[in-house]
Amino acid sequence: NAGVTQTPKFQVLKTGQSMTLQCAQDMNHNSMYWYRQDPGMGLRLIYYSASEGTTDKGEVPNGYNVSRLNKREFSLRLESAAPSQTSVYFCASISSRVSGWRGETQYFGPGTRLLVL
Amino acid sequence: KQEVTQIPAALSVPEGENLVLNCSFTDSAIYNLQWFRQDPGKGLTSLLLIQSSQREQTSGRLNASLDKSSGRSTLYIAASQPGDSATYLCAVFGNQFYFGTGTSLTVIP
């Protein structure tokens, strides 16, 4: 099993450009998450999807949109990239729907490093 | 809003030493706490998960404790090895996941 995969691994954008970060998991998990990691800030939740067809905002959703394409895939879109969105983006998944989650491990992808000039 | 703090931000120890990493959180209404390891340029790997009703969990040379009432958790690493060098993050789950900023550990051979 590949677990959680993310593409691309690294991307450079100019301010105002758009792009979509892709995430896929092959563990038949229900819930998927997008985080960003910035120096000194820890990981912060951007959006999550408790199940196919549902998405909810996390702590820092502004400037992002998400799509839960199917049970496997959860994409993150930057419509008009800004330098403040320079970060490392992680996708994660867990088996349960988040409302019922009490103690399952989150599985993380390797991350996408995004630089916005 | 939940705030999760990890002290120290960086730690350097000689090989073989026992060490303790600290995690504190402001809201004790959590379901569980997890400790993760992150290697440079990589994602996070779960090390230990403690349910809110538990006091500690052990896995090999790692022992994590939880004092929910005081908002504290510790990760104890016994007989440290150079391969333990990584960043260690704690995360709590209440209504969503909140992560600390991590402790960067270097074990010197």
Side-chain angles (χ1 to χ4, degrees):
Chain A
N1 286 346
V4 181
T5 57
Q6 294 183 235
T7 56
K9 292 183 179 179
F10 181 71
Q11 184 73 46
V12 180
L13 291 178
K14 295 181 180 178
T15 297
Q17 288 185 317
S18 63
M19 78 163 294
T20 300
L21 282 65
Q22 305 287 353
C23 173
Q25 50 86 15
D26 62 2
M27 296 172 284
N28 201 36
H29 283 176
N30 286 292
S31 299
M32 298 183 73
Y33 307 83
W34 276 106
Y35 295 92
R36 60 178 288 174
Q37 185 178 35
D38 303 291
M41 299 288 290
L43 275 81
R44 291 179 292 169
L45 183 64
I46 305 172
Y47 271 94
Y48 66 97
S49 170
S51 61
E52 185 178 352
T54 67
T55 61
D56 287 287
K57 296 179 180 179
E59 186 182 352
V60 288
N62 291 344
Y64 305 95
N65 286 301
V66 290
S67 294
R68 184 73 182 267
L69 305 170
N70 47 55
K71 194 170 186 180
R72 287 189 65 247
E73 299 172 291
F74 188 37
S75 63
L76 179 72
R77 183 162 178 83
L78 287 70
E79 292 290 352
S80 179
S84 61
Q85 294 178 305
T86 293
S87 188
V88 181
Y89 292 86
F90 288 101
C91 178
S93 70
I94 61 173
S95 179
S96 296
R97 300 169 195 274
V98 69
S99 61
W101 188 80
R102 291 297 181 268
E104 297 180 52
T105 298
Q106 288 188 81
Y107 292 86
F108 280 81
T112 293
R113 282 151 186 77
L114 177 65
L115 175 63
V116 183
L117 302 175
Chain B
K1 175 179 171 286
Q2 178 76 267
E3 300 283 345
V4 183
T5 304
Q6 292 186 247
I7 296 173
L11 181 64
S12 183
V13 300
E15 181 177 1
E17 192 163 297
N18 302 326
L19 59 101
V20 174
L21 306 180
N22 297 293
C23 173
S24 61
F25 47 96
T26 55
D27 186 350
S28 61
I30 63 169
Y31 289 112
N32 58 63
L33 182 144
Q34 263 187 304
W35 283 93
F36 291 87
R37 168 184 174 138
Q38 184 176 26
D39 292 287
K42 301 290 180 63
L44 280 68
T45 301
S46 180
L47 297 173
L48 289 164
L49 183 148
I50 310 175
Q51 304 285 2
S52 62
S53 58
Q54 297 175 318
R55 297 288 263 177
E56 64 179 85
Q57 280 286 333
T58 298
S59 176
R61 294 182 295 108
L62 306 179
N63 175 276
S65 67
L66 174 64
D67 184 343
K68 203 173 77 159
S69 61
S70 68
R72 295 178 185 274
S73 176
T74 61
L75 178 66
Y76 175 83
I77 302 177
S80 58
Q81 303 171 357
D84 295 331
S85 297
T87 296
Y88 292 80
L89 298 100
C90 68
V92 298
F93 179 69
N95 59 341
Q96 65 172 294
F97 295 103
Y98 291 95
F99 283 79
T101 53
T103 294
S104 177
L105 173 66
T106 302
V107 181
I108 304 167

